[in-house]
Amino acid sequence: MATQADAQELAALRALSASIGRSPHLTQAAGGNTSLKAGDTLWIKASGTWLKDALTDDIMVPVAMAPLLRAVEQRDRAADQPQGFTIAALNPRGLRPSIETTVHALMPQRVVLHVHCVDTISLAVQADGEAEAARRLDGIEWAYVPYFRPGLPLARGIAEKLRPDVDVLILANHGLVVAAETVAGAELLLRRVRSLLARPARTTAPPDIAALTTLAGDSGYRLPADVEAHAVALDPESRRMAEAGSLYPDHVIFLGQGSAVAGSGETVADTIARLDTAPAAILFPGAGVLMRGDASAGADAMQRCLADVTARIDVAARLNYLTAAENDELVNWDAEQYRQKLNAAGGA
Ligand SMILES: [Zn+2]
């Protein structure tokens, strides 16, 4: 840390990060990240760590910003591996910076918050998401960035859309970025944008826990960690949206491509036999969701996220799904495999 003011802001950012990390409507699992610029050093959340641990664990990594930005500008693939820009002397644990470090470096403001905000994602998967955001964000300096894989492709996409004074980015099929000169300013802006984008969730009947418990039996599947996760199997519109494909990257990374829905009268074993694979989660229409016994805490968080997102999507909207190629590039991506490994090791 260069100055006492920087140290104070970093402490404030850690407190805000922990609070953001505790809200399942803002971040899920190791998703989302926060940063502070101190001179030419960017302090950013480490890959695979959870924002909710920001006060109890050392999760911020220092990165040399100027060379990283140069790599983005030159379309140098080194920008896809931000660990190459870590300031080793200040990083005793050898943590890797977030794979989304370039998003933070590109924003000129000192404090950047990137969240997988449920209200934002539900809007940013709709084909009319940009127009709908425009209606709601009057008076805000914002930009809409089409979907790109996180890393260098997303950084290039942002660089093309950035204008002076833009402090809010809506990332299609992904999430939200807000930036300000202070932690307090960023927190206020996050709250404001969230409330402008908020839509009510459709309500559903309660899950049929008795039926799910019978279905789970000795199948190796279990109830999800959060009771909210069931809604995607209970609401026919949400189920239709989920079954049709993957809507955002962390879904693919933690749960696999799309969602598996049990057919009428099917058991867990029937569903697995039909699909020829044991999915991380199975949706039982009208009953709820079961998770594979070995599903990670991250998978549980993402299953709940799917329920929260789909319940807010306009049922009349046409949706943009990730393409087969976009699904594949996420699954086969080595930075993501690293993040997954940390997630599995770190658990909750
Ligand atoms: Zn993200």
Side-chain angles (χ1 to χ4, degrees), residues 31-33 100 114-116 150 154 171 174-176 249-250 339:
N33 31 70
E100 292 172 324
H114 166 52
V115 287
H116 295 165
L154 178 58
L171 310 180
H174 184 157
L176 175 67
D250 273 5
R339 188 161 75 115

Side-chain angles (χ1 to χ4, degrees), residues 70-93:
R70 227 168 9 249
V72 171
E73 199 182 329
Q74 294 167 352
R75 294 177 168 76
D76 182 344
R77 291 189 56 189
D80 243 347
Q81 305 201 317
Q83 66 269 28
F85 301 86
T86 310
I87 303 169
L90 300 174
N91 184 30
R93 290 178 66 193

